């Protein structure tokens, strides 16, 4: 137990480093785009593992104590809770933190350039359709890439065209 609680820097440094790492990673992930967490590919999983390993040293440095990482994790959880509270109570904060949904298809057709703009592979879009029992985009009234990176589909475009 020798050194388990001997911090290599002041406790507040762990708290600040944890909070800054969380906010910095949140910013980078928002800049990377919505699709980063929607449907995780093996590449996305590798990136997450590497990010976690890389941020470890940014958060705790050379500290080998048991206490340091817990202080940093505590600060990360506090920042996460505060941001969740702000997002729940402010539309502007929610948009800033989570972003907005993006329209991918409407009335049975993919909006030109929308898949490319949001880095959604056509194969992933079609896989999303099939996973919801939709055979083709012609059956879709609206498809969106939600702020959390998942695709949502509203059926009905083919029926709307038949009625007109």
């Amino acid at each position: 137990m020798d050194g388990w609680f001997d911090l290599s820097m002041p406790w507040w440094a762990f708290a600040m480093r944890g909070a800054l790492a969380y906010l910095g990673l949140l910013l980078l992930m928002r800049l990377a785009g919505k699709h980063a967490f929607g449907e995780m590919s093996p590449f996305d999983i590798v990136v997450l593992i590497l990010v976690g390993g890389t941020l470890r040293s940014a958060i705790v440095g050379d500290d080998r104590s048991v206490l340091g990482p817990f202080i940093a994790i505590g600060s990360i959880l506090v920042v996460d809770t505060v941001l969740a509270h702000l997002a729940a109570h402010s539309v502007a904060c929610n948009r800033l933190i989570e972003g907005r949904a993006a329209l991918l298809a409407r009335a049975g057709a993919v909006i030109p350039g929308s898949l490319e703009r949001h880095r959604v592979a056509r194969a992933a879009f079609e896989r999303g359709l099939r996973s919801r029992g939709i055979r083709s985009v012609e059956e879709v009234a609206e498809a969106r890439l939600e702020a959390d990176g998942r695709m949502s589909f509203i059926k009905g475009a083919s029926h709307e065209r038949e009625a007109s």
Side-chain angles (χ1 to χ4, degrees):
M1 296 230 316
D2 210 20
W4 280 18
F5 299 100
D6 298 331
L7 299 175
S8 64
M9 56 187 135
W11 69 269
W12 54 267
F14 290 97
M16 290 300 296
R17 290 177 111 176
L20 289 173
Y22 175 87
L23 293 171
L25 183 58
L26 182 65
L27 176 66
L28 289 173
M29 297 310 288
R30 283 282 290 122
L31 292 173
K34 293 181 199 89
H35 193 64
F37 288 113
E39 297 191 16
M40 294 193 55
S41 70
F43 300 107
D44 298 325
I45 293 168
V46 169
V47 167
L48 285 178
I49 291 168
L50 291 173
V51 165
T54 303
L55 279 180
R56 184 214 174 278
S57 61
I59 296 171
V60 297
D62 293 329
D63 188 81
R64 302 228 185 269
S65 71
V66 173
L67 190 57
F70 280 101
I71 294 169
I73 290 168
S75 72
I76 290 169
L77 294 175
V78 166
V79 171
D80 184 65
T81 302
V82 168
L83 289 179
H85 179 77
L86 290 172
H89 291 87
S90 166
V91 174
C93 283
N94 187 45
R95 275 196 207 119
L96 181 66
I97 294 167
E98 291 188 15
R100 294 182 184 189
L103 194 60
L104 299 176
R106 175 172 273 153
V110 173
I111 296 170
S114 65
L115 296 178
E116 296 80 12
R117 186 172 39 259
H118 298 289
R119 292 180 301 211
V120 176
R122 182 70 185 212
F125 181 77
E126 291 171 357
R127 196 170 40 248
L129 290 170
R130 289 190 303 274
S131 71
R132 287 158 185 91
I134 303 170
R135 293 176 197 256
S136 72
V137 71
E138 286 82 21
E139 298 177 34
V140 174
E142 191 174 278
R144 289 185 178 272
L145 180 61
E146 300 295 342
D148 65 1
R150 292 188 181 99
M151 286 182 278
S152 63
F153 301 91
I154 299 171
K155 292 183 183 182
S158 61
H159 304 296
E160 288 173 15
R161 271 193 261 130
E162 290 170 10
S164 354

